Amino acid sequence: MSLFWRIFSLNAAGLVVATALLLGPVTVSTPVLAGEALVLLAGLAALLAGNAVVLRIGLTPLHRLGRAMSTADLLVPGARPRVSGPAEAAQLIATYNTMLDRLQAERAAGAGRALQAQERERHRIARELHDEVGQTLTAVLLQLKRVADRVPGELREEVTLAQEATRAGLDEIRRIARRLRPGVLEELGLASALRSLAAEFTHHGLTVHHHVPGDLPPLAPEAELVLYRVAQEGLTNTARHAAADRAALTLRPLPQPEGGGVELLVRDNGTGLGTAAEGAGIRGMRERALLIGAEIHFEPAPGGGTDVRLRVPAPPGDRPADRTGDSP
């Protein structure tokens, strides 16, 4: 029943009862007697209480909708207020949920286009770094080697230092190019790319352990790229901000009762997230997860630190519901 008819029915019932009493044996004296005043006040109180109860029940779903609207986040899928209450409130909540679904779909599509453009730009920059800057530094290194063979002895040490600086710059250019364009992901697959990533972040002060089995379920190329980028961003945050000395990178297949797919876990023993607002890195991970319909959670790790947990669902063709046979 709609809120209008609830309030109208209650007030109509009160007026009908009052009219019936006035037309019956009940009378009101002039001046009003104490007993009659008590009866009138009791009837008025009952009518007001009934109106208050009806309005409270009818407006509670709207209050719940207001709280949901104030905390809505398009990067957190599935958070929707429950459709309940009078017809008007239920219709408003359902319309709001539909609007959120549409906005979330449009946000995912826009994020997908932006991330694809970002990946193309990463590839272009990595290619230019490798082909242009890398080759230029290689030529400089060869020229310095030829110069080192002809310079006087007192200048040879300076030329050697220039060679070492050029070689270090060339190595840094190659490292940046590898991070911009994960060629190992395209050539050797996700498991090898994640193991290589863990080895890359293992340096003085930080040890990254990995557990990445080779028998992973089939995943779409977009899902593999999202898994790699989330692992890369998680380890980058650990190395830069967490003040951790140990991290773990785990990728495991999910059993069919949990929906299949894979789960990525990046865990560190650092200072944790605290109360700081989410930065661009975490927002970027949420957008990537939303792009492939995955769930991502940032939680305190056991014993301190942070857990970044990404659950990627199985492709539609590999889910149990799709193995029951072709439709007639």
mmCIF file of all heavy atoms in Angstrom, residues 5 11 14 57 85 93 129 144-145 163 169 182-183 193 198 202 245-246 252 274 283 285:
data_model
loop_
_atom_site.group_PDB
_atom_site.id
_atom_site.type_symbol
_atom_site.label_atom_id
_atom_site.label_comp_id
_atom_site.label_asym_id
_atom_site.label_seq_id
_atom_site.Cartn_x
_atom_site.Cartn_y
_atom_site.Cartn_z
ATOM 1 N N TRP A 5 -2.230 6.251 0.796
ATOM 2 C CA TRP A 5 -3.408 5.500 1.220
ATOM 3 C C TRP A 5 -3.290 5.038 2.668
ATOM 4 O O TRP A 5 -4.299 4.889 3.359
ATOM 5 C CB TRP A 5 -3.637 4.305 0.298
ATOM 6 C CG TRP A 5 -4.230 4.709 -1.028
ATOM 7 C CD1 TRP A 5 -3.640 4.690 -2.235
ATOM 8 C CD2 TRP A 5 -5.550 5.229 -1.228
ATOM 9 N NE1 TRP A 5 -4.481 5.153 -3.205
ATOM 10 C CE2 TRP A 5 -5.687 5.490 -2.619
ATOM 11 C CE3 TRP A 5 -6.632 5.504 -0.392
ATOM 12 C CZ2 TRP A 5 -6.846 6.017 -3.166
ATOM 13 C CZ3 TRP A 5 -7.794 6.019 -0.950
ATOM 14 C CH2 TRP A 5 -7.897 6.272 -2.316
ATOM 15 N N ASN A 11 -6.543 8.325 8.903
ATOM 16 C CA ASN A 11 -7.316 9.524 9.243
ATOM 17 C C ASN A 11 -8.796 9.324 8.963
ATOM 18 O O ASN A 11 -9.656 9.799 9.739
ATOM 19 C CB ASN A 11 -6.794 10.720 8.457
ATOM 20 C CG ASN A 11 -5.427 11.162 8.928
ATOM 21 O OD1 ASN A 11 -5.142 11.101 10.114
ATOM 22 N ND2 ASN A 11 -4.577 11.592 8.013
ATOM 23 N N GLY A 14 -10.299 7.344 11.773
ATOM 24 C CA GLY A 14 -10.497 8.160 12.976
ATOM 25 C C GLY A 14 -11.699 9.068 12.852
ATOM 26 O O GLY A 14 -12.491 9.221 13.795
ATOM 27 N N ILE A 57 7.218 4.351 9.712
ATOM 28 C CA ILE A 57 7.417 3.143 8.897
ATOM 29 C C ILE A 57 7.582 3.513 7.424
ATOM 30 O O ILE A 57 8.409 2.949 6.705
ATOM 31 C CB ILE A 57 6.235 2.171 9.087
ATOM 32 C CG1 ILE A 57 6.206 1.675 10.542
ATOM 33 C CG2 ILE A 57 6.329 1.000 8.123
ATOM 34 C CD1 ILE A 57 5.002 0.800 10.851
ATOM 35 N N GLY A 85 9.499 -0.984 1.807
ATOM 36 C CA GLY A 85 8.688 0.142 2.216
ATOM 37 C C GLY A 85 7.463 0.339 1.347
ATOM 38 O O GLY A 85 7.116 -0.516 0.508
ATOM 39 N N ILE A 93 13.622 3.752 -4.572
ATOM 40 C CA ILE A 93 14.856 3.003 -4.315
ATOM 41 C C ILE A 93 15.227 2.165 -5.532
ATOM 42 O O ILE A 93 16.397 2.085 -5.915
ATOM 43 C CB ILE A 93 14.682 2.123 -3.060
ATOM 44 C CG1 ILE A 93 14.479 2.999 -1.822
ATOM 45 C CG2 ILE A 93 15.899 1.228 -2.864
ATOM 46 C CD1 ILE A 93 14.153 2.220 -0.572
ATOM 47 N N LEU A 129 61.617 4.520 -25.587
ATOM 48 C CA LEU A 129 62.740 4.452 -24.655
ATOM 49 C C LEU A 129 63.737 3.385 -25.088
ATOM 50 O O LEU A 129 64.951 3.591 -25.044
ATOM 51 C CB LEU A 129 62.231 4.159 -23.236
ATOM 52 C CG LEU A 129 61.562 5.307 -22.483
ATOM 53 C CD1 LEU A 129 61.004 4.808 -21.162
ATOM 54 C CD2 LEU A 129 62.544 6.445 -22.246
ATOM 55 N N LEU A 144 82.446 6.062 -25.762
ATOM 56 C CA LEU A 144 83.267 6.240 -24.577
ATOM 57 C C LEU A 144 84.310 5.136 -24.458
ATOM 58 O O LEU A 144 85.426 5.365 -23.994
ATOM 59 C CB LEU A 144 82.382 6.259 -23.323
ATOM 60 C CG LEU A 144 81.559 7.522 -23.088
ATOM 61 C CD1 LEU A 144 80.617 7.346 -21.905
ATOM 62 C CD2 LEU A 144 82.469 8.725 -22.851
ATOM 63 N N LYS A 145 83.931 3.926 -24.900
ATOM 64 C CA LYS A 145 84.901 2.826 -24.851
ATOM 65 C C LYS A 145 86.073 3.093 -25.803
ATOM 66 O O LYS A 145 87.241 2.851 -25.483
ATOM 67 C CB LYS A 145 84.217 1.507 -25.200
ATOM 68 C CG LYS A 145 85.108 0.282 -25.044
ATOM 69 C CD LYS A 145 84.341 -0.981 -25.341
ATOM 70 C CE LYS A 145 85.216 -2.204 -25.087
ATOM 71 N NZ LYS A 145 86.465 -2.187 -25.866
ATOM 72 N N GLN A 163 81.585 6.104 -18.333
ATOM 73 C CA GLN A 163 81.072 4.836 -18.863
ATOM 74 C C GLN A 163 80.118 4.166 -17.877
ATOM 75 O O GLN A 163 79.035 3.690 -18.257
ATOM 76 C CB GLN A 163 82.231 3.891 -19.178
ATOM 77 C CG GLN A 163 82.982 4.210 -20.463
ATOM 78 C CD GLN A 163 84.088 3.194 -20.700
ATOM 79 O OE1 GLN A 163 85.089 3.157 -19.976
ATOM 80 N NE2 GLN A 163 83.906 2.383 -21.715
ATOM 81 N N GLY A 169 72.590 4.360 -16.489
ATOM 82 C CA GLY A 169 71.424 4.989 -17.105
ATOM 83 C C GLY A 169 70.757 4.087 -18.118
ATOM 84 O O GLY A 169 69.523 4.039 -18.212
ATOM 85 N N PRO A 182 55.025 -4.864 -19.996
ATOM 86 C CA PRO A 182 55.445 -6.175 -19.487
ATOM 87 C C PRO A 182 55.561 -7.201 -20.612
ATOM 88 O O PRO A 182 54.645 -7.984 -20.873
ATOM 89 C CB PRO A 182 54.331 -6.536 -18.497
ATOM 90 C CG PRO A 182 53.130 -5.809 -18.996
ATOM 91 C CD PRO A 182 53.644 -4.531 -19.606
ATOM 92 N N GLY A 183 56.693 -7.175 -21.301
ATOM 93 C CA GLY A 183 56.874 -8.121 -22.404
ATOM 94 C C GLY A 183 56.851 -9.562 -21.953
ATOM 95 O O GLY A 183 56.396 -10.446 -22.688
ATOM 96 N N ALA A 193 55.381 -13.888 -15.460
ATOM 97 C CA ALA A 193 55.436 -12.438 -15.286
ATOM 98 C C ALA A 193 55.365 -12.063 -13.807
ATOM 99 O O ALA A 193 56.085 -11.166 -13.348
ATOM 100 C CB ALA A 193 54.301 -11.774 -16.055
ATOM 101 N N ALA A 198 58.064 -10.313 -8.740
ATOM 102 C CA ALA A 198 58.503 -10.497 -7.359
ATOM 103 C C ALA A 198 60.024 -10.400 -7.250
ATOM 104 O O ALA A 198 60.558 -9.781 -6.319
ATOM 105 C CB ALA A 198 58.013 -11.847 -6.834
ATOM 106 N N THR A 202 62.465 -7.509 -5.176
ATOM 107 C CA THR A 202 63.318 -7.986 -4.094
ATOM 108 C C THR A 202 64.650 -7.249 -4.165
ATOM 109 O O THR A 202 65.454 -7.470 -5.074
ATOM 110 C CB THR A 202 63.539 -9.507 -4.200
ATOM 111 O OG1 THR A 202 62.280 -10.171 -4.071
ATOM 112 C CG2 THR A 202 64.476 -9.995 -3.110
ATOM 113 N N ASP A 245 59.651 -4.893 5.411
ATOM 114 C CA ASP A 245 60.841 -5.620 4.990
ATOM 115 C C ASP A 245 60.510 -6.977 4.380
ATOM 116 O O ASP A 245 61.374 -7.658 3.858
ATOM 117 C CB ASP A 245 61.811 -5.806 6.159
ATOM 118 C CG ASP A 245 61.174 -6.557 7.325
ATOM 119 O OD1 ASP A 245 59.990 -6.970 7.219
ATOM 120 O OD2 ASP A 245 61.850 -6.737 8.351
ATOM 121 N N ARG A 246 59.224 -7.369 4.453
ATOM 122 C CA ARG A 246 58.794 -8.627 3.838
ATOM 123 C C ARG A 246 57.457 -8.426 3.134
ATOM 124 O O ARG A 246 56.596 -7.688 3.618
ATOM 125 C CB ARG A 246 58.646 -9.746 4.883
ATOM 126 C CG ARG A 246 59.934 -10.182 5.523
ATOM 127 C CD ARG A 246 59.751 -11.480 6.322
ATOM 128 N NE ARG A 246 58.573 -11.432 7.182
ATOM 129 C CZ ARG A 246 58.560 -10.905 8.401
ATOM 130 N NH1 ARG A 246 59.653 -10.352 8.879
ATOM 131 N NH2 ARG A 246 57.464 -10.923 9.128
ATOM 132 N N ARG A 252 46.273 -17.941 -6.571
ATOM 133 C CA ARG A 252 45.737 -19.291 -6.436
ATOM 134 C C ARG A 252 44.425 -19.399 -7.196
ATOM 135 O O ARG A 252 43.659 -18.425 -7.282
ATOM 136 C CB ARG A 252 45.509 -19.646 -4.964
ATOM 137 C CG ARG A 252 44.379 -18.862 -4.289
ATOM 138 C CD ARG A 252 44.186 -19.273 -2.851
ATOM 139 N NE ARG A 252 43.072 -18.564 -2.220
ATOM 140 C CZ ARG A 252 41.837 -19.059 -2.148
ATOM 141 N NH1 ARG A 252 41.553 -20.248 -2.669
ATOM 142 N NH2 ARG A 252 40.865 -18.365 -1.563
ATOM 143 N N GLY A 274 46.106 2.610 7.744
ATOM 144 C CA GLY A 274 45.809 3.711 8.652
ATOM 145 C C GLY A 274 44.516 4.412 8.271
ATOM 146 O O GLY A 274 43.603 3.826 7.696
ATOM 147 N N ARG A 283 42.829 3.955 -6.146
ATOM 148 C CA ARG A 283 41.691 4.230 -7.036
ATOM 149 C C ARG A 283 41.908 3.592 -8.398
ATOM 150 O O ARG A 283 40.982 3.063 -9.007
ATOM 151 C CB ARG A 283 41.513 5.743 -7.194
ATOM 152 C CG ARG A 283 41.301 6.502 -5.913
ATOM 153 C CD ARG A 283 39.985 6.212 -5.268
ATOM 154 N NE ARG A 283 38.848 6.751 -6.025
ATOM 155 C CZ ARG A 283 37.590 6.676 -5.610
ATOM 156 N NH1 ARG A 283 37.309 6.066 -4.461
ATOM 157 N NH2 ARG A 283 36.612 7.186 -6.320
ATOM 158 N N MET A 285 43.613 0.850 -8.977
ATOM 159 C CA MET A 285 43.369 -0.585 -8.832
ATOM 160 C C MET A 285 41.881 -0.892 -8.808
ATOM 161 O O MET A 285 41.428 -1.888 -9.376
ATOM 162 C CB MET A 285 44.063 -1.107 -7.570
ATOM 163 C CG MET A 285 45.567 -1.221 -7.693
ATOM 164 S SD MET A 285 46.337 -2.114 -6.307
ATOM 165 C CE MET A 285 46.476 -0.794 -5.117
#
